[in-house]
Amino acid sequence: MDILTERLSLRPTKASDVPALFSFLGDAQAMRHTAYFATLRACRRHVAGHEWQRRRLGCAPWTVRNRTDGTIIGWGGLFEDPFDPGWGVELGYWFAPSTWGTGYASELAVASVAEARDRLRLPELRAFARPENVGSCRVLEKAGFAIERYVPELERNLYRHALAR
């Protein structure tokens, strides 16, 4: 199911999307605040693990396209991490550096919170951000998340959003 926002198209990720996603998910500098994938194969494996979770749980990161021209500009949304389980459903987002500062992450975050509340009927969401990633911290705060605690082993703040029904 595709979700349309003012400027974005969010849809389940296809295998054919992975090379475009790898252009930024495989960029160590761009992904310095999160994990990056050194090879296209590793990126494919990661995306496939999340798509398996979509079939099982009903959510996984979407491929994010610019509605104007259809260009793949990001990957993100709701997910339960198949590679680090136990945190519950999270919001995460990864965008091409050329899109940073445009408000796309905030637009995705608002759509994700609405999806979690209205369709999935979740009681809460979690998210992680490194304290030095000021832009990401601001996106989460604007979307209604608050810091719950610092998680030293992940070197990240854990954020929580209680979803009102």
Side-chain angles (χ1 to χ4, degrees):
M1 176 177 92
D2 291 6
I3 295 175
L4 300 177
T5 68
E6 181 181 342
R7 300 177 297 159
L8 305 174
S9 171
L10 313 173
R11 66 171 175 77
T13 303
K14 299 176 184 175
S16 60
D17 297 338
V18 176
L21 295 173
F22 180 67
S23 71
F24 55 90
L25 294 175
D27 179 339
Q29 179 58 26
M31 297 295 117
R32 67 189 173 276
H33 295 296
T34 187
Y36 84 99
F37 305 102
T39 66
L40 181 59
R41 182 177 185 203
C43 190
R44 283 187 201 284
R45 179 182 174 274
H46 192 79
V47 168
H50 279 281
E51 284 305 306
W52 177 80
Q53 287 287 65
R54 183 185 312 280
R55 290 186 296 277
R56 194 172 78 76
L57 300 172
C59 63
W62 296 293
T63 293
V64 181
R65 292 181 179 268
N66 180 314
R67 283 186 63 181
T68 302
D69 62 11
T71 304
I72 292 175
I73 58 171
W75 191 60
L78 305 171
F79 63 92
E80 188 170 321
D81 195 334
F83 305 100
D84 188 16
W87 296 101
V89 178
E90 301 174 38
L91 167 64
Y93 39 84
W94 303 265
F95 282 89
S98 62
T99 68
W100 294 353
T102 61
Y104 289 146
S106 291
E107 200 167 320
L108 170 69
V110 167
S112 297
V113 167
E115 178 79 354
R117 183 189 57 240
D118 300 338
R119 187 179 72 80
L120 297 174
R121 303 223 182 273
L122 297 175
E124 69 177 15
L125 285 176
R126 304 251 171 129
F128 290 95
R130 291 186 187 272
E132 65 271 18
N133 188 350
V134 177
S136 191
C137 295
R138 183 71 187 120
V139 165
L140 293 172
E141 291 163 5
K142 284 178 13 184
F145 286 80
I147 294 175
E148 189 170 274
R149 65 185 169 94
Y150 181 74
V151 182
E153 59 272 22
L154 298 177
E155 299 177 339
R156 289 171 172 80
N157 287 327
L158 171 62
Y159 286 79
R160 181 176 175 272
H161 188 316
L163 301 171
R165 290 191 200 176

